[in-house]
Amino acid sequence: MNKRFYIETYGCQMNEYDSEILAGILLEHDYILSDSPENADVILLNTCSVRDHAEQKIHSRLGELKHFKDKNPALKLGVVGCMAQNMKKDLLESKPYVNLILGPDSYRNILRHLDSDQTQTIDTRLSKFEVYDGLFPARKEGINAWISIMRGCNKFCSYCIVPYTRGRERSRSIAGIVDEAQRSVDKGFVEITLLGQNVNSYDHDGKRFPALLEALTAVKGIKRIRYTSPHPQDVDETLMKVHAGYKPLIANHIHLPLQAGSDAVLKAMNRTYTQSHYLKLTDMIRKYVPDMGITTDIIVGFPGETDADFRETLRVMNSVKYDSAFTFKYSPRPYTKAWDMEDNVSENEKAARLTELIRLQKKHTLENYRNLIGKDVEILVEAPSKRDPNEFKGRTACNKITVFPAGVYRPKDLVKRTVTDAQGITLFSRP
Ligand code: SAH
Ligand code: SF4
Ligand code: F3S
């Protein structure tokens, strides 16, 4: 008889992709997907460790799921992903009802572990080679297919746990990636987003990221190519020339994490660039692709960040004028270099800096969106808008949500419209 499995995914898009890989393996072997934990034979939580809060969420979710285990002792409860890798046996000791701990490089072994008679299993060996080539992820139908092109991170930013949970960088072959892209498009996806912890550190036998992007433009029927997240250190003119040469098939959007604006903090973070390098880079990007939408990640309250340091972050924001920013309060993580530094910016101060930063970002977002009024944009039509059933929504190549009256186009159409208004984070447009 078929067994039912249920997966819940936390954290970044890499985890979304990995859950699709896991689902792909299970669906090939007598398992069927369940959309709720009720009555499932296997429950998997694909977890994140990037901030303490992410782990706390999993602890409380596991507490909630325990009663399924009480009702059905045969149920297998698995924790996979970064927190599994981070906590290993500590998690089994504190949560004895958890059966399986599987790190991000061990997913090929899942069937063997689920079949085993052991009540508790740990498999968290990191691999130098695993890229899950040859496995086809089970994706939900839709517009965009995520494709992981490299795994791991060698950068060791001093605040970040990812190099410890994901291991070292390794890349898939161009041929394997192009094949997965073509198969996704043949299945009805029209957009692909390339994924990697440092997507542009891609290196397979000396073939680098710009060459991969260029190869993907030949995929038949593909309407849009995106990628995330690049590291500023590996963004160069070659990449921008490919962007400019294949616009808008290669979407004019780049997510370029800044993290901090002050040189002292950047150095302590081991980010490998200075403020002036970063600003030269964004100038170079806009020289090649003037309408590039630039978004970012920023951390406030890194150990030792003074108010003057924080002002430097605002300075970079005022200079680059990001379309949007993911903003975080620094959270100390085990194993990292910063773990040994005193977390000496108070919670109040972190909160105040975050509020100021978010306020400034909102202003820039609205300015940038308003600057598009009167401009023509290319929109990939997605689905009916949640707010208003009479409206459809789509995304511009520069990655902004746009709404327009329903019934004009169908999902997956690529259409040209002129922006007429901007409110909050939504654009309005006419044909
Ligand atoms: N590899 C990606 C980011 C991965 S983590 C990159 O380098 O761009 C996503 C974001 O979480 C990071 O960009 C950073 O802004 C934030 N982050 C990572 N570790 C953090 C920590 N210890 N505290 C707060 N934010 C953190
Ligand atoms: Fe973390 Fe830095 Fe690697 Fe990104 S580049 S995953 S922030 S260590
Ligand atoms: Fe979280 Fe792991 Fe992604 S720590 S952000 S799920 S790589």
Side-chain angles (χ1 to χ4, degrees), residues 88-96 98 101 120-122:
K88 303 188 180 69
K89 71 173 188 337
D90 291 352
L91 199 56
L92 288 187
E93 278 164 14
S94 66
K95 307 261 187 318
V98 171
I101 299 283
Q120 293 201 311
T121 314
I122 304 182

Side-chain angles (χ1 to χ4, degrees), residues 50-51 159 197 229 257 259 297 299 328-331 333:
V50 78
R51 283 167 292 277
Y159 50 81
Q197 262 81 37
S229 294
Q259 312 301 5
D297 290 349
I299 298 173
F328 310 101
K329 289 185 214 163
Y330 169 69
S331 165
R333 306 310 292 132

